[in-house]
Amino acid sequence: MLRVQNISYAYLDEKVLSNITFSVLKGQCVALVGESGSGKSTLLKAIYGLFDLDAGKIFWKADEVLGPAYHLVPGMPYMKYLAQDFDLMPFVSVAENVGRFLSNFYLNEKANRVKELLELVGMQNFADVKAKLLSGGQMQRVALARVLALEPELLLLDEPFSHIDPHLKSKLSQHVFDYCKKKGITVIYTSHTPEEILRYADEVVVLKEGKLIEKDNPKHIYELPSSEYIAQLTGEVNLIPVSYLGVANDQYLLIRPHQLKISNEGFAARVTHCYYSGRCYIVKALFHSIEITLESKEYIEGNFYFTIDT
């Protein structure tokens, strides 16, 4: 179990993390989300022990996570951290990079382990290729295989699929998270992709300006967001004043595009743009003085009516 207790950290005079407290159970997958600069990557590094905290403590089980002031080699041995720069050795092969931390006393076992991991990330055909010759997405896949090599107890992933081609991303992320669940590896990862946040996380931790503002399961985060900021992190959302719906107060509703249904009567709006997205058309429309987004099975233009399905 991971326990983060009232931690704070600042770069020089700029506070990046402020009084953050949360816990993670063994085997859970937790997504860290927030706008750029909210402190996600810094929090991952702090959990790994790359910083000496200004305040608070971090524990993995009964062990306190300590920073560089206490360790010649930064980082905790039972954790693995995948940074956005991958940290591969450029002039050695893919297989050597993956087996970098594996023992050479059992060469057959090492070779089999490297083969298994390269198959997991779809890089088995590049085993003998030097890392410097790979694309950014291929490097990221090799880096994923490397951090999994010793089956860490806690895996920290900073945007682990950001460089991978869209047609491979879904399959690869599914394989990696399924593998970690099967092995009981606790995973904390950052992402800006709604599908990665909602599909794989058991819980979502939301950061804003270095503070933890929400911790909940993905279903509640998506369906019952407490603010527009939180809603936008997991997909597009419409902010509709209740007064526009005929109710006399100053509140507003957070409505997902799929909750707005085109109908023969209801609220009047006018199409400004209509885009084909594959499974449906994305409609941008003017409702009173605001732009709203909704989905349609057919191309539409001009004036129309919609209802709200909550």
Side-chain angles (χ1 to χ4, degrees), residues 153-201:
E153 296 178 43
L154 176 60
L155 185 59
L156 306 168
L157 304 175
D158 197 355
E159 296 283 346
F161 310 105
S162 58
H163 294 268
I164 295 170
D165 294 336
H167 69 283
L168 295 174
K169 184 182 293 190
S170 179
K171 182 178 180 180
L172 176 61
S173 58
Q174 183 73 59
H175 284 176
V176 169
F177 283 105
D178 284 351
Y179 178 87
C180 291
K181 278 291 185 184
K182 179 180 177 181
K183 298 292 185 178
I185 299 171
T186 305
V187 181
I188 303 177
Y189 66 102
T190 70
S191 177
H192 286 99
T193 306
E195 291 77 10
E196 290 175 12
I197 297 167
L198 299 172
R199 185 178 299 179
Y200 304 117

Side-chain angles (χ1 to χ4, degrees), residues 118-168:
L118 288 179
E119 289 175 351
L120 176 70
V121 299
M123 289 293 290
Q124 62 271 26
N125 294 331
F126 295 83
D128 298 323
V129 177
K130 290 183 178 180
K132 69 173 185 175
L133 301 177
L134 302 177
S135 69
Q138 290 170 332
M139 287 183 182
Q140 192 163 38
R141 289 152 69 186
V142 174
L144 274 167
R146 191 197 65 210
V147 296
L148 288 169
L150 289 175
E151 289 189 9
E153 296 178 43
L154 176 60
L155 185 59
L156 306 168
L157 304 175
D158 197 355
E159 296 283 346
F161 310 105
S162 58
H163 294 268
I164 295 170
D165 294 336
H167 69 283
L168 295 174

Side-chain angles (χ1 to χ4, degrees), residues 249-270:
N249 64 44
D250 57 357
Q251 295 181 338
Y252 59 85
L253 295 177
L254 295 170
I255 304 294
R256 299 290 183 182
H258 71 269
Q259 294 178 293
L260 301 181
K261 307 294 184 182
I262 296 173
S263 63
N264 294 323
E265 57 182 9
F267 304 105
R270 177 173 56 84

Side-chain angles (χ1 to χ4, degrees), residues 10-58:
Y11 291 122
L12 299 177
D13 295 327
E14 182 182 356
K15 183 165 284 190
V16 185
L17 302 175
S18 181
N19 299 318
I20 291 180
T21 297
F22 68 96
S23 61
V24 179
L25 299 177
K26 185 181 185 305
Q28 276 192 319
C29 288
V30 174
L32 297 181
V33 304
E35 61 189 0
S36 297
S38 61
K40 303 185 301 296
S41 296
T42 303
L43 180 54
L44 281 186
K45 292 174 182 177
I47 293 172
Y48 189 50
L50 296 182
F51 300 133
D52 295 311
L53 299 173
D54 297 329
K57 294 182 178 182
I58 299 173

Side-chain angles (χ1 to χ4, degrees), residues 26-306:
K26 185 181 185 305
Q28 276 192 319
C29 288
V30 174
L32 297 181
V33 304
E35 61 189 0
S36 297
S38 61
K40 303 185 301 296
S41 296
T42 303
L43 180 54
L44 281 186
K45 292 174 182 177
I47 293 172
Y48 189 50
L50 296 182
F51 300 133
D52 295 311
L53 299 173
D54 297 329
K57 294 182 178 182
I58 299 173
F59 292 91
W60 174 250
K61 299 179 180 177
D63 298 330
E64 184 176 357
V65 176
L66 299 173
Y70 300 88
H71 295 287
L72 289 175
V73 179
M76 306 304 289
Y78 39 79
M79 303 180 187
K80 284 298 177 185
Y81 165 62
L82 176 59
Q84 293 188 35
D85 61 4
F86 313 145
D87 190 31
L88 297 180
M89 297 182 290
F91 298 103
V92 303
S93 71
V94 164
E96 288 174 292
N97 268 286
V98 173
R100 177 178 175 181
F101 301 111
L102 296 175
S103 172
N104 288 318
F105 284 105
Y106 306 98
L107 292 178
N108 287 336
E109 288 83 349
K110 178 177 180 177
N112 290 334
R113 178 67 174 153
V114 169
K115 180 181 178 182
E116 175 192 12
L117 291 167
L118 288 179
E119 289 175 351
L120 176 70
V121 299
M123 289 293 290
Q124 62 271 26
N125 294 331
F126 295 83
D128 298 323
V129 177
K130 290 183 178 180
K132 69 173 185 175
L133 301 177
L134 302 177
S135 69
Q138 290 170 332
M139 287 183 182
Q140 192 163 38
R141 289 152 69 186
V142 174
L144 274 167
R146 191 197 65 210
V147 296
L148 288 169
L150 289 175
E151 289 189 9
E153 296 178 43
L154 176 60
L155 185 59
L156 306 168
L157 304 175
D158 197 355
E159 296 283 346
F161 310 105
S162 58
H163 294 268
I164 295 170
D165 294 336
H167 69 283
L168 295 174
K169 184 182 293 190
S170 179
K171 182 178 180 180
L172 176 61
S173 58
Q174 183 73 59
H175 284 176
V176 169
F177 283 105
D178 284 351
Y179 178 87
C180 291
K181 278 291 185 184
K182 179 180 177 181
K183 298 292 185 178
I185 299 171
T186 305
V187 181
I188 303 177
Y189 66 102
T190 70
S191 177
H192 286 99
T193 306
E195 291 77 10
E196 290 175 12
I197 297 167
L198 299 172
R199 185 178 299 179
Y200 304 117
D202 298 305
E203 286 197 291
V204 178
V205 170
V206 183
L207 300 181
K208 184 177 183 181
E209 297 176 350
K211 298 178 180 179
L212 193 158
I213 63 169
E214 188 79 84
K215 183 175 185 285
D216 207 338
N217 65 65
K219 183 177 175 67
H220 285 171
I221 290 287
Y222 183 79
E223 296 183 359
L224 301 169
S226 58
S227 70
E228 183 183 12
Y229 174 83
I230 293 174
Q232 288 176 335
L233 295 173
T234 52
E236 195 157 8
V237 66
N238 296 294
L239 185 69
I240 300 179
V242 173
S243 60
Y244 287 6
L245 307 178
V247 180
N249 64 44
D250 57 357
Q251 295 181 338
Y252 59 85
L253 295 177
L254 295 170
I255 304 294
R256 299 290 183 182
H258 71 269
Q259 294 178 293
L260 301 181
K261 307 294 184 182
I262 296 173
S263 63
N264 294 323
E265 57 182 9
F267 304 105
R270 177 173 56 84
V271 176
T272 56
H273 295 90
C274 190
Y275 307 96
Y276 182 63
S277 68
R279 66 180 183 86
C280 67
Y281 286 92
I282 304 299
V283 180
K284 299 288 185 179
L286 195 63
F287 174 52
H288 288 270
S289 60
I290 62 171
E291 184 181 69
I292 60 172
T293 302
L294 62 157
E295 299 175 355
S296 173
K297 293 182 179 179
E298 299 177 350
Y299 181 88
I300 67 169
E301 56 185 350
N303 297 322
F304 68 98
Y305 292 99
F306 70 91

